[in-house]
Amino acid sequence: MGAIVDGAITEMNQTLLEKNVKVVFVLGGPGSGKGTQCANIVERFGFTHLSAGDLLRAEIKSGSENGTMIQNMIKEGIIVPSEVTIKLLERAMLENENDKFLIDGFPRNEENRAAFENVTGIAPEFVLFFNCAEEEMERRLLNRNEGRVDDNIETIRKRFKVFVESSLPVIEHYNSKGKVHKIDAGKPVSEVFEDVKAIFSNFDKKEE
């Protein structure tokens, strides 16, 4: 059974609770390799990967008023309001037939964390934290530059600063509850996944 928080509020929440979703938060600095490992977890263990960043970018691409607001905030390096991201995550979980979700890049701060649990009534099964040296993450991001507007050196360093100041308190909160699995993400991809597989061993493997 999924971890449930008291106080589900809306009909949408009740639907998520009835669905008994299992959520794993995936956190790590930009360039920590969490996206690659999420793809491996999806393939091996049958989770659905929900990237908060991808959902926000899709909303921007839609051209909606909401999307324009999000785009302006990202350009300024401002974290998007919790309720905006939570609404996108809720919609994605409800529209998907799966009940096991990796939520990547969220919560970004303590306010995000509290809002997610209060609004959805769901607490994560655990938090997967990809720990990687800033120098290594910077090298990876500069090498991979895929034309993303937020992958220039100045913005990369701003994102590191935001991650350390905002996300680490979230990790500390869940660590105090014994819910954090810390991964050395500076190792080669295959070695990192060996560590990940050990953590997910309690979940059934995806049927071939």
Side-chain angles (χ1 to χ4, degrees), residues 191-202:
E191 291 181 28
V192 173
F193 190 49
E194 287 302 314
D195 293 341
V196 169
K197 281 192 291 188
I199 292 166
F200 280 82
S201 60
N202 289 336

Side-chain angles (χ1 to χ4, degrees), residues 51-77:
S51 163
D54 287 350
L55 289 172
L56 290 167
R57 282 187 283 274
E59 190 70 13
I60 290 168
K61 194 174 181 180
S62 75
S64 69
E65 185 178 340
N66 201 34
T68 301
M69 176 196 73
I70 292 167
Q71 184 174 34
N72 290 335
M73 287 184 163
I74 289 174
K75 280 183 179 176
E76 293 299 317

Side-chain angles (χ1 to χ4, degrees), residues 8-170:
I9 302 164
T10 68
E11 289 182 10
M12 179 179 284
N13 298 335
Q14 189 59 41
T15 305
L16 279 175
L17 291 172
E18 287 174 354
K19 193 173 179 181
N20 191 26
V21 297
K22 293 178 176 64
V23 168
V24 173
F25 288 148
V26 182
L27 297 176
S32 61
K34 56 189 171 62
T36 299
Q37 295 301 330
C38 282
N40 288 338
I41 296 164
V42 167
E43 180 67 28
R44 182 69 174 256
F45 296 102
F47 276 71
T48 292
H49 176 208
L50 297 178
S51 163
D54 287 350
L55 289 172
L56 290 167
R57 282 187 283 274
E59 190 70 13
I60 290 168
K61 194 174 181 180
S62 75
S64 69
E65 185 178 340
N66 201 34
T68 301
M69 176 196 73
I70 292 167
Q71 184 174 34
N72 290 335
M73 287 184 163
I74 289 174
K75 280 183 179 176
E76 293 299 317
I78 299 169
I79 291 177
V80 175
S82 299
E83 59 270 21
V84 174
T85 308
I86 292 168
K87 184 177 178 182
L88 294 174
L89 288 166
E90 280 188 319
R91 186 172 71 194
M93 285 191 283
L94 284 170
E95 289 175 353
N96 195 292
E97 292 181 359
N98 204 352
D99 63 356
K100 299 187 296 186
F101 296 94
L102 300 172
I103 296 185
D104 174 5
F106 188 92
R108 296 282 297 274
N109 56 33
E110 266 291 285
E111 193 269 332
N112 278 178
R113 178 200 65 74
F116 182 88
E117 293 192 4
N118 289 337
V119 171
T120 66
I122 297 166
E125 303 295 307
F126 57 85
V127 176
L128 196 60
F129 172 39
F130 289 96
N131 190 35
C132 192
E134 187 170 316
E135 295 79 10
E136 173 63 14
M137 291 191 287
E138 185 176 303
R139 185 189 66 77
R140 291 175 180 178
L141 286 173
L142 291 173
N143 285 345
R144 83 170 189 192
N145 197 319
E146 298 158 352
R148 276 174 50 178
V149 70
D150 56 353
D151 271 357
N152 65 68
I153 189 68
E154 185 180 339
T155 312
I156 285 169
R157 287 177 178 166
K158 187 186 292 184
R159 288 166 68 200
F160 288 150
K161 187 170 185 288
V162 167
F163 174 75
V164 171
E165 292 177 353
S166 302
S167 298
L168 289 186
V170 176

